[in-house]
Amino acid sequence: MSQLATRYRDVQDRISAAALSSGRQASEVELIVITKTHPTLVVAELADLGHRSFGENRDQEAKPKALELDSLRPDSSFDWHFVGQLQSNKVKSAMSYAKTIHSLDRSSLLKEIAKQLAAGDAQIDCYIELNLTEDLNRGGLDPSMIKQFAESALAVPGLNLLGVMAVAGLDVDPRVDFEKVIRVSRELREIAPDAKALSIGMSADYEVAIELGATHVRIGSAITGPRGNN
Ligand SMILES: *Cc1c(COP(=O)(O)O)cnc(C)c1O
């Protein structure tokens, strides 16, 4: 087996073990492999192992990769997830290949998504991204705004609100951050009972995230190996 295949299987095993040891089913956790900075051939190899859900954080990189993968593996279809900060002028492009946007975090972005949905007949799945830090320049919604912002997202036809997404801070216990996400998720479900999904957990902290209820983990380097600066 290639190193990539070995790491992929290892992460899958750890996901299952983490789910089972917290009384959950492995099938309750979806793995999204984050392929940013890696060439399309890496994605194609994962596709050959049976994987279909991939994520990217920059439209300039994601779009050509999604198109190239379609031409390399024309008989398969893939679920692309957009997980990075999204500029309004990239929304149209991102919606052309991504089925899910994990980084809905502000009104201007919501307006642009609504505009694109009104212009065509596409649907889009979205997570509201939360900013867990005090730094307002980081992506993500201020958690105290969740209900107010979710109300406006729920009013957009064609936008399917799945739940909340967050990235745990670098210098904090991920458990503390994820527990905060779960409290915000509970608040969200008071007005959107179906928006139960939790997109939390990356290479460094996915087992803790699964223990706390993650439904979608976004894992890059633990599978693809180290990447250069991005
Ligand atoms: C890069 C990235 C990931 C994956 O990070 P790893 O630590 O490599 O697993 C997950 N989520 C977002 C938003 C990212 O930008």
Side-chain angles (χ1 to χ4, degrees), residues 8-55:
Y8 174 64
R9 296 292 179 223
D10 179 57
V11 167
Q12 282 186 316
D13 290 347
R14 283 164 179 257
I15 288 173
S16 301
L20 296 176
S21 73
S22 32
R24 308 179 61 200
Q25 302 290 319
S27 60
E28 289 171 42
V29 183
E30 181 180 334
L31 167 61
I32 301 162
V33 182
I34 307 300
T35 51
K36 64 191 185 201
T37 77
H38 291 282
T40 312
L41 284 176
V42 168
V43 192
E45 187 179 342
L46 290 162
D48 295 341
L49 297 170
H51 203 76
R52 294 290 176 268
S53 295
F54 300 105

Side-chain angles (χ1 to χ4, degrees), residues 5-222:
T6 306
R7 285 190 298 248
Y8 174 64
R9 296 292 179 223
D10 179 57
V11 167
Q12 282 186 316
D13 290 347
R14 283 164 179 257
I15 288 173
S16 301
L20 296 176
S21 73
S22 32
R24 308 179 61 200
Q25 302 290 319
S27 60
E28 289 171 42
V29 183
E30 181 180 334
L31 167 61
I32 301 162
V33 182
I34 307 300
T35 51
K36 64 191 185 201
T37 77
H38 291 282
T40 312
L41 284 176
V42 168
V43 192
E45 187 179 342
L46 290 162
D48 295 341
L49 297 170
H51 203 76
R52 294 290 176 268
S53 295
F54 300 105
E56 287 278 333
N57 70 337
R58 290 168 62 241
D59 176 65
Q60 307 88 291
E61 181 181 349
K63 187 174 195 168
K65 210 179 274 187
L67 292 172
E68 196 184 358
L69 185 65
D70 282 341
S71 67
L72 290 173
R73 297 290 180 273
D75 297 330
S76 303
S77 64
F78 301 98
D79 282 348
W80 284 98
H81 296 252
F82 194 89
V83 303
Q85 278 195 43
L86 184 55
Q87 292 167 301
S88 295
N89 63 359
K90 303 285 194 214
V91 165
K92 183 177 183 170
S93 171
M95 285 174 69
S96 71
Y97 55 87
K99 181 176 151 282
T100 311
I101 293 173
H102 288 241
S103 46
L104 175 57
D105 64 352
R106 59 193 193 279
S107 301
S108 56
L109 185 55
L110 180 61
K111 265 198 203 103
E112 186 59 32
I113 291 172
K115 187 176 138 193
Q116 296 303 329
L117 287 167
D121 55 359
Q123 300 259 324
I124 190 80
D125 290 346
C126 290
Y127 290 84
I128 295 176
E129 179 180 359
L130 305 173
N131 179 357
L132 303 176
T133 73
E134 303 293 320
D135 180 357
L136 297 177
N137 294 320
R138 293 275 300 254
L141 181 78
D142 172 351
S144 69
M145 303 297 288
I146 188 69
K147 279 190 174 165
Q148 192 183 331
F149 186 66
E151 298 268 14
S152 52
L154 290 166
V156 174
L159 189 157
N160 181 22
L161 185 60
L162 298 182
V164 289
M165 179 275 219
V167 175
L170 282 179
D171 42 6
V172 292
D173 178 355
R175 192 174 294 270
V176 172
D177 270 356
F178 293 152
E179 277 166 356
K180 188 165 169 187
V181 174
I182 288 159
R183 286 195 296 277
V184 178
S185 167
R186 226 173 265 141
E187 238 189 287
L188 169 62
R189 279 175 288 149
E190 287 169 19
I191 59 165
D194 293 333
K196 301 185 245 228
L198 291 169
S199 171
I200 50 173
M202 306 176 21
S203 292
D205 52 28
Y206 67 93
E207 287 160 303
V208 178
I210 290 168
E211 183 195 318
L212 294 176
T215 60
H216 294 71
V217 290
R218 309 177 312 272
I219 300 181
S221 48

